[in-house]
Amino acid sequence: MSDQATTQNPAFDEVVTHAPVRDITLPGDAGVLALITLDNGFDHTKPNTFGPQTIANLLSVVQGLRTRAEAGEIQAVGITGKPFIFAVGADLKAVAQATSRDQALEVARAGHAAFGAIMDLPVPTFAFVNGAAMGGGVEIALSADYRSISAGVPAIALPETFLGLVPGWGGCYLLPNLVGPVNALKVIIENPMNTNRMLKGPQAFELGMADVMFAPADFLEESLLWAARVLTGETEVDRPEVTRDESEWAGAIKAAKGLVDLKTGGKSPAPYRALQLVAAARTATRDEAFAAEDEALADLVMGDELRAGLYSFDLVQRRAKRPAGAPDKALARKVTKVGIVGAGLMASQLALLFAQRLEVPVVMTDLDEERVGKGVGYVHAEVDKLLGKRRVSPDKANRIKGLVTGSTSKDGFADADFVIEAVFEEMSVKKQVWAEVEAVVSAECVLATNTSSLSITEMAAELQHPERVVGFHFFNPVAVMPLLEIIKGEQTDDATLATAFATGKTLRKTTILVKDSPSFIVNRLLGRFMGEVAKVVDEGTPIEVADRAFAGLAPMPPFILLGLVGPAIALHNNETLAKAFPDRFYVSENLRRVVAAKKSAIYTWPEGKPVVDPEVEALFEKPADPVVLTTEQVRERVLGVLADEARRMLDEGVAQAPMDLDLAMITGAGFQFWNGGLTPLLDREGVSEKVTGKRFLPAGAASVPA
């Protein structure tokens, strides 16, 4: 194993991924395979990456292997990774350090030189993909002649367009020429555009990204035996022929472009450059394709979208791990048992999460046996689904089920250290619940509320120990959404807060400290956003026009989001905010009519495409003097009110810094990485200065340095 020191580079500290080589004599007279193991000397929590020095070292190693191959010392070359990790792509710190287009071009060309040297070796080459592979990790595997993959690989992806880049070390050329344009665009465009979806090993194998798949237990041994059979001709690798039909490639590109238009509204250049590169890959030579990738990378590295994407990546990877304003973690109390008030869908999701991650007993309570039974039954059914997908072992499944019990009495909370409520969003109901719980629990038990908008301070006011009440706001669906807003009431003490942060970390959530204020961060910003969009529509702009204005900002159009959240919940949030801030928050009478009519969505989906429900349309009152805006006018107006609200929230101390607003909107509302969430976009489009008189972030923090 290589040493664990980071190697000094004038620009930044690079954790070098070394490429030690060992010779393996293959069975059946197949000869000697020189096996490169990519390894940065750390465990799987610090994955292998490719920085400038790593690439230079790799090229040097491959050149040495070329000399040995020409001398007849080796008959093949293999590449694998350290335990659980193959490689996860370019070192993004190195990318961020590029201050000129020439530097960016140099980074692009260096990667192509190293990976091209693998392709040019005079002996057969094999990639044994043993663990997570992303970006350059996928591209180095594509550079080999043959590939095996472990069935246990948790993530395979080319996530570049999600960040604002393209797969620029061969991905846009090699992948379509291996698996065809449709399958390649699924990996290069479709998955990244759908909030960076990843493939697992078996899915990548199904797409044709590997020639053979083996179980994780003896993956390397089986891969080497397979390589020996390939070398001796005993095993013939048969791949489907990739079509060269121009119309088929054009059709695939057109379909992918439709998705990009929908997701970005033309606001992010990266996926469009990727589409151009994939289209050209049908007829381009390798040299032409690699040169085109170099130019695309150089342009994009010097673009604000990528810099905002790198800022987002840093928020999610670093800031999320050290929440700003959180108290000393040494103050946190141990949680050995959890109580959950409620057994509805939200409470049941929470019970499953707590049992899975904390591995402590969880007691759910509700008003009657039927509701309790339904809640516990939901948890058991979800565990059975995980078991069916082999995501948990039979033992683990039984253990999780055994941890979750239900009761109509709160007496089971007596020895709980942490009780969370997920009952109806009404202050009087919440107060009654806490009065009942406080009569049962110990004086140090943390009382956490999953309220999405109500005051923690008011909720705790009549309790004997208001200092142990804390907001613990999850986003739906609980298993999927990373964000957990932790809200400090006026009386909440540091031990309670520290316990909340420690529990959130064990639940593997992104935790953000929020001041007790109406609707906290995400729902307040979404409330202002949705309220202004509703106002625009109530004034006369058609729903479809308003919805088209936000491609590339929110993960979905606002009125589709309204259907997902539920009109009644959205209305309640806006009414709460309008009560607190009547001068700024708008409550739509049309939305009130939709809720009164018990409509659950604005759109219907005939043939899979959204169409405004005629019954909903009939409920909307048309203004006497309609004001019809264009999509650009709608966008400008709504971004303006978002800038205003974000500035107010920072001035009020709702969030610690603009970075926390952005982290919240990325992880709690799915706002785009390549926008940096929200504030870098407002800065980039000049809205911040126009509306608030100043930028949210210094120039260069989430944009190209001047």
Side-chain angles (χ1 to χ4, degrees), residues 379-400:
V379 174
H380 286 209
E382 289 300 304
V383 173
D384 286 337
K385 283 184 200 168
L386 294 173
L387 183 61
K389 293 176 185 168
R390 297 185 178 176
R391 301 260 297 278
V392 294
S393 67
D395 276 355
K396 181 90 185 270
N398 288 334
R399 202 157 63 246
I400 296 168

Side-chain angles (χ1 to χ4, degrees), residues 275-286:
L275 288 173
Q276 289 169 10
L277 292 166
V278 171
R282 185 180 71 87
T283 55
T285 63
R286 188 184 100 185

Side-chain angles (χ1 to χ4, degrees), residues 169-431:
W169 282 345
C172 289
Y173 173 71
L174 297 171
L175 191 58
N177 282 305
L178 176 70
V179 301
V182 173
N183 284 352
L185 288 166
K186 183 180 179 69
V187 184
I188 294 169
I189 297 291
E190 186 185 323
N191 287 353
M193 291 295 103
N194 285 307
T195 57
N196 203 21
R197 206 179 278 158
M198 305 270 167
L199 299 169
K200 292 192 174 357
Q203 295 170 306
F205 174 63
E206 281 293 309
L207 280 182
M209 292 175 74
D211 302 306
V212 67
M213 182 167 68
F214 298 116
D218 52 1
F219 171 71
L220 187 57
E221 293 87 335
E222 288 295 331
S223 293
L224 290 166
L225 291 171
W226 169 73
R229 292 194 299 274
V230 171
L231 290 168
T232 59
E234 187 187 332
T235 293
E236 202 170 309
V237 174
D238 192 27
R239 295 177 190 144
E241 194 176 336
V242 172
T243 179
R244 294 288 144 203
D245 183 84
E246 190 175 352
S247 62
E248 282 189 47
W249 282 64
I253 298 289
K254 186 180 176 187
K257 184 180 178 293
L259 177 69
V260 173
D261 290 342
L262 183 71
K263 294 288 185 178
T264 75
K267 302 283 183 185
S268 175
Y272 295 99
R273 287 298 285 269
L275 288 173
Q276 289 169 10
L277 292 166
V278 171
R282 185 180 71 87
T283 55
T285 63
R286 188 184 100 185
D287 287 350
E288 289 166 347
F290 283 11
E293 287 181 351
D294 290 338
E295 296 298 324
L297 269 185
D299 287 343
L300 293 167
V301 166
M302 298 314 292
D304 284 339
E305 290 79 11
L306 171 68
R307 300 308 173 117
L310 296 176
Y311 162 84
S312 298
F313 185 80
D314 192 69
L315 292 181
V316 169
Q317 292 297 314
R318 292 187 181 83
R319 191 175 182 89
K321 290 179 173 62
R322 290 186 289 278
D328 183 349
K329 57 188 177 195
L331 297 171
R333 300 190 191 108
K334 199 167 168 57
V335 174
T336 60
K337 185 177 181 181
V338 172
I340 297 180
V341 187
L345 180 58
M346 191 69 179
S348 303
Q349 291 181 70
L350 294 177
L352 176 62
L353 182 72
F354 276 90
Q356 267 183 299
R357 302 273 158 84
L358 265 62
E359 297 183 345
V360 300
V362 176
V363 184
M364 301 172 77
T365 66
D366 215 317
L367 299 173
D368 55 57
E369 292 288 358
E370 187 186 343
R371 290 182 212 198
V372 170
K374 197 173 172 186
V376 175
Y378 169 90
V379 174
H380 286 209
E382 289 300 304
V383 173
D384 286 337
K385 283 184 200 168
L386 294 173
L387 183 61
K389 293 176 185 168
R390 297 185 178 176
R391 301 260 297 278
V392 294
S393 67
D395 276 355
K396 181 90 185 270
N398 288 334
R399 202 157 63 246
I400 296 168
K401 286 182 186 179
L403 288 170
V404 180
T405 57
S407 174
T408 54
S409 160
K410 295 184 178 68
D411 292 348
F413 294 168
D415 56 345
D417 310 291
F418 193 100
V419 175
I420 183 166
E421 65 74 22
V423 299
F424 188 65
E425 189 75 344
E426 184 69 55
M427 183 59 81
S428 59
V429 177
K430 307 269 194 195
K431 282 187 164 188

Side-chain angles (χ1 to χ4, degrees), residues 27-113:
D29 294 326
V32 174
L33 177 141
L35 181 65
I36 297 171
T37 302
L38 300 170
D39 190 346
N40 63 7
F42 291 85
D43 69 11
H44 66 281
T45 60
K46 203 178 195 82
N48 297 325
T49 53
F50 297 114
Q53 209 165 323
T54 298
I55 287 290
N57 287 358
L58 180 67
L59 179 58
S60 171
V61 167
V62 174
Q63 285 168 337
L65 291 174
R66 180 182 188 90
T67 303
R68 293 187 65 204
E70 286 168 345
E73 292 176 23
I74 55 172
Q75 283 67 52
V77 170
I79 303 170
T80 194
K82 65 182 182 181
F84 310 111
I85 300 287
F86 186 69
V88 299
D91 187 323
L92 294 174
K93 292 198 297 293
V95 176
Q97 292 291 328
T99 55
S100 70
R101 193 179 184 281
D102 285 348
Q103 283 180 326
L105 196 57
E106 206 178 302
V107 170
R109 287 174 176 163
H112 276 134

